[in-house]
Amino acid sequence: MKKLIAAALVGTMVLTMAGCGSKTAETTGSEASSDAAGGTLVMATNAEFPPYEYYEGENVVGIDADIAAAVADKLGMELKIEDMAFDSILPAVTSGKADIGLAGMTVTEDLLENVDFSDTYAHATQVVIVKEDSDIASPDDLEDKKIGVQLGTTGDIYAGDIKDATVERYNKGFEAVVIDGEPAKVFVKENEGLKMLDEAFTEEDYAIAVAKGNDELLDKINTALGELKDSGELDKIVDKYITAE
């Protein structure tokens, strides 16, 4: 993984990644549960996005995985995590192959045309990673540059608005480079020769994607999230993976 991102950066002046997360905890490809109480809650994610979702041994762990597990527990359901390409998550949710999508997913007007989102559970910033000797000092310097993004992410969307920029799209986050702030810290720490620009590229909110019209499940998820926030459990989950600097 370290070699891949380093190699991508050598050939790419700027990288941007995404919001954007068992191969499941046991990937079987079974259909999602049809009801919102009891049974299995299937979560679609792209486990290339630490600290939100990543592999620890054979298991997918991270902020999103723990939040989904806590929500499933409150719904009296068993969580099953399906790992897939980032741009396959929403189709999995809309087709019913997954009940929810969690992968550092940003609420946008375009996405709201296809899915519904829960209440926000995290705030994030998109940042830019460059080589340490790059002359790019801020997002304003990205015009006319070659920018790497993770396919289907908000970084992909925003990079397309940069004047005269060449956008190269990759399937995995660690091959890229407009990316969310916390994952960016991990990539920079693990790969020599990279740095993160001080100025944020964008500000955004994360939420849980649910099939459009599945109001019963959405209401139960929002109730569970509210309880997790009020009890402080949500903050504990985030603090477990993100420590103050």
Side-chain angles (χ1 to χ4, degrees):
M1 184 179 295
K2 295 178 183 179
K3 291 181 179 179
L4 283 172
I5 188 171
L9 276 165
V10 168
T12 306
M13 292 189 65
V14 184
L15 299 168
T16 79
M17 294 171 51
C20 170
S22 49
K23 225 172 194 152
T24 73
E26 71 188 84
T27 301
T28 64
S30 61
E31 292 298 307
S33 172
S34 60
D35 60 10
T40 302
L41 184 71
V42 180
M43 165 185 164
T45 194
N46 174 240
E48 302 283 350
F49 198 57
Y52 288 92
E53 40 266 321
Y54 60 98
Y55 275 98
E56 193 170 83
E58 296 297 316
N59 298 317
V60 174
V61 299
I63 294 171
D64 285 346
D66 283 9
I67 289 175
V71 168
D73 184 63
K74 287 190 172 295
L75 269 57
M77 303 176 75
E78 178 182 351
L79 178 67
K80 180 178 180 181
I81 301 176
E82 297 279 5
D83 182 23
M84 60 189 68
F86 186 85
D87 60 347
S88 295
I89 295 173
L90 292 188
V93 172
T94 58
S95 68
K97 291 182 178 179
D99 297 299
I100 58 175
L102 277 89
M105 305 198 74
T106 304
V107 179
T108 68
E109 291 302 319
D110 287 343
L111 294 184
L112 284 169
E113 293 180 2
N114 299 303
V115 295
D116 290 330
F117 279 102
S118 71
D119 296 336
T120 297
Y121 66 83
H123 179 74
T125 58
Q126 290 275 316
V127 299
V128 179
I129 299 175
V130 298
K131 292 190 290 186
E132 285 185 340
D133 60 357
S134 174
D135 59 357
I136 297 171
S138 79
D140 291 338
D141 298 327
L142 295 178
E143 290 187 6
D144 302 315
K145 298 298 190 296
K146 182 183 293 185
I147 304 172
V149 298
Q150 185 181 6
L151 183 66
T153 65
T154 50
D156 186 353
I157 295 170
Y158 297 137
D161 293 332
I162 298 173
K163 183 178 178 181
D164 297 328
T166 300
V167 180
E168 296 192 356
R169 296 172 172 87
Y170 302 89
N171 286 321
K172 293 185 178 179
F174 62 78
E175 295 173 332
V177 203
V178 166
I179 180 174
D180 294 56
E182 292 303 327
K185 293 176 185 177
V186 176
F187 297 131
V188 169
K189 181 179 180 180
E190 294 184 347
N191 294 275
E192 292 184 6
L194 304 181
K195 67 179 181 180
M196 187 171 67
L197 299 187
D198 293 332
E199 184 180 342
F201 187 63
T202 64
E203 304 277 343
E204 54 196 37
D205 294 315
Y206 291 164
I208 301 172
V210 176
K212 208 156 191 63
N214 193 348
D215 296 335
E216 180 183 0
L217 178 58
L218 185 62
D219 289 345
K220 291 185 176 183
I221 288 174
N222 282 335
T223 297
L225 285 175
E227 292 173 355
L228 292 171
K229 290 177 183 178
D230 292 343
S231 68
E233 183 63 25
L234 189 60
D235 288 338
K236 289 181 181 178
I237 291 173
V238 174
D239 291 344
K240 175 183 175 182
Y241 294 95
I242 301 176
T243 56
E245 295 183 355

